[in-house]
Amino acid sequence: KNEVEQSPQNLTAQEGEFITINCSYSVGISALHWLQQHPGGGIVSLFMLSSGKKKHGRLIATINIQEKHSSLHITASHPRDSAVYICGVDSNYQLIWGAGTKLIIKP
Amino acid sequence: DAEITQSPRHKITETGRQVTLACHQTWNHNNMFWYRQDLGHGLRLIHYSYGVQDTNKGEVSDGYSVSRSNTEDLPLTLESAASSQTSVYFCASSGDVNTGELFFGEGSRLTVL
């Protein structure tokens, strides 16, 4: 079983929809990261959080340490949000990454 | 502006050749990482460094080596390239391994024929 699991693997939605991507992990962590990778490959760090919630524009990330679960939400989704979203955790000075969620937003 | 750059961005080589991928960051970060990314897999850690003269093996280190002679650079060397090492390679850096934001290079696409 992978230590970091993301769901869904693929998600297609219409522009304007509210999007939720989930990340569950099975190890103790000091922090959790969300990354965005657009087609063409560049990777950008969206959030790093260890508790509670963070918001940046239309993106919101939450984490529940007790349940070992994090969610990434996108409000008022737009085609430019189409990307792969990757969750990763800091555990014992190691970074462990999920396989990613491929999001497609149709106009 | 501080940045992290990789070179070359694209490389085609032959089996058995030595290849070095460069990674240079101007964030003055202590922590640097090399990942490979393949279809069906997430980011897999090859090697990492927490400071000058410090290097550590990741989960897929066989066939790769790194050296850290200064803060800015962590070159990745494939001693004898194999077709299984065809992949996209990403370098990343962070100021603090537990709480620091990660910054990624643009990636280097390596094809081994």
Side-chain angles (χ1 to χ4, degrees):
Chain A
K1 184 180 187 300
N2 293 333
E3 292 160 308
V4 179
E5 298 274 2
Q6 290 185 236
S7 63
Q9 285 186 307
N10 296 281
L11 178 58
T12 300
Q14 291 297 130
E15 182 174 358
E17 287 188 33
F18 181 82
I19 303 299
T20 295
I21 298 171
N22 296 299
C23 176
S24 296
Y25 53 92
S26 58
V27 294
I29 71 168
S30 54
L32 183 141
H33 298 260
W34 281 103
L35 310 176
Q36 180 191 58
Q37 185 174 27
H38 276 111
I43 298 175
V44 174
S45 176
L46 296 175
F47 294 104
M48 182 190 61
L49 65 167
S50 55
S51 65
K53 179 171 77 173
K54 286 190 176 181
K55 184 175 189 290
H56 184 239
R58 294 180 294 106
L59 274 61
I60 303 166
T62 65
I63 187 169
N64 185 318
I65 296 293
Q66 287 72 30
E67 294 185 4
K68 296 188 174 180
H69 182 268
S70 175
S71 293
L72 177 67
H73 305 287
I74 304 174
T75 61
S77 60
H78 189 276
R80 65 175 175 266
D81 297 325
S82 298
V84 175
Y85 293 85
I86 303 169
C87 168
V89 299
D90 279 324
S91 178
N92 292 328
Y93 301 97
Q94 298 281 318
L95 289 164
I96 308 168
W97 301 98
T101 294
K102 185 175 182 179
L103 174 65
I104 297 173
I105 303 296
K106 293 185 175 181
Chain B
D1 284 347
E3 59 181 2
I4 178 167
T5 56
Q6 294 182 228
S7 63
R9 297 288 312 279
H10 301 272
K11 174 80 175 178
I12 300 174
T13 191
E14 295 177 340
T15 302
R17 289 191 180 270
Q18 183 181 79
V19 176
T20 295
L21 304 179
C23 176
H24 179 81
Q25 52 96 5
T26 58
W27 293 100
N28 200 35
H29 283 160
N30 284 325
N31 308 312
M32 296 184 72
F33 310 87
W34 272 107
Y35 293 96
R36 61 178 289 173
Q37 187 181 44
D38 305 285
L39 277 175
H41 294 275
L43 292 164
R44 291 187 291 174
L45 184 63
I46 305 171
H47 282 285
Y48 59 101
S49 169
Y50 292 150
V52 176
Q53 302 301 332
D54 176 73
T55 60
N56 306 280
K57 293 182 178 180
E59 62 175 304
V60 291
S61 61
D62 287 350
Y64 304 94
S65 63
V66 294
S67 60
R68 188 86 181 272
S69 58
N70 58 53
T71 300
E72 295 80 16
D73 299 289
L74 187 71
L76 177 71
T77 298
L78 289 68
E79 299 293 343
S80 177
S83 57
S84 60
Q85 294 176 309
T86 293
S87 186
V88 180
Y89 292 85
F90 286 97
C91 179
S93 72
S94 74
D96 182 314
V97 70
N98 273 335
T99 61
E101 182 180 358
L102 282 164
F103 295 88
F104 283 82
E106 290 295 312
S108 296
R109 183 176 295 274
L110 176 67
T111 302
V112 183
L113 301 176

